[in-house]
Amino acid sequence: PRVSIGPDSSLGRGCQLLASHYYKDVRIKIGAHVRVGPYVSFLAAGHDYSQLDLPDTAGSIHVGDYVWIGAGSIILQGVTIGEGAVIGAGSLVSRDVPAYCIAMGAPVRVIKERVIAPLR
């Protein structure tokens, strides 16, 4: 399948997951225990703006386990979001985000490490 979603993961209303029609090997893979806010777009295909005829481009998107992606974020082709990362609402994720980091903005940038509290 071009799109896979791991166990105990949820997507908010209005999310879009758009893999490439042209590049059949491009995938969108969302790990386990992932929370995706409403109106998040996963865009695994695009166009090469350096050429006038705008040929298709594409790159797989990988989201690790235990990730939280805030509402209205856009995840672009070729991006990997590491395990345990948090993406702030409204972010444009155009580059990889390391594991257990909190990142936000347009373009996204890491603002700090995510520290996991002990279970109560």
Side-chain angles (χ1 to χ4, degrees), residues 9-106:
S9 291
S10 62
L11 286 87
R13 70 177 60 106
C15 288
Q16 299 182 84
L17 293 98
L18 304 174
S20 174
H21 289 289
Y22 184 74
Y23 294 97
K24 305 299 185 197
D25 60 337
V26 169
R27 306 279 184 257
I28 298 172
K29 182 178 179 187
I30 297 174
H33 314 288
V34 173
R35 300 293 176 255
V36 179
Y39 305 104
V40 172
S41 295
F42 295 83
L43 307 175
H47 299 281
D48 183 352
Y49 62 84
S50 70
Q51 298 184 38
L52 289 177
D53 62 347
L54 298 171
D56 290 333
T57 61
S60 293
I61 296 171
H62 300 280
V63 178
D65 298 340
Y66 299 100
V67 169
W68 176 20
I69 301 174
S73 294
I74 300 171
I75 316 302
L76 296 181
Q77 63 184 1
V79 165
T80 296
I81 299 174
E83 179 177 312
V86 175
I87 307 297
S91 293
L92 175 63
V93 184
S94 57
R95 62 182 80 142
D96 292 350
V97 175
Y100 294 98
C101 285
I102 300 173
M104 60 190 311

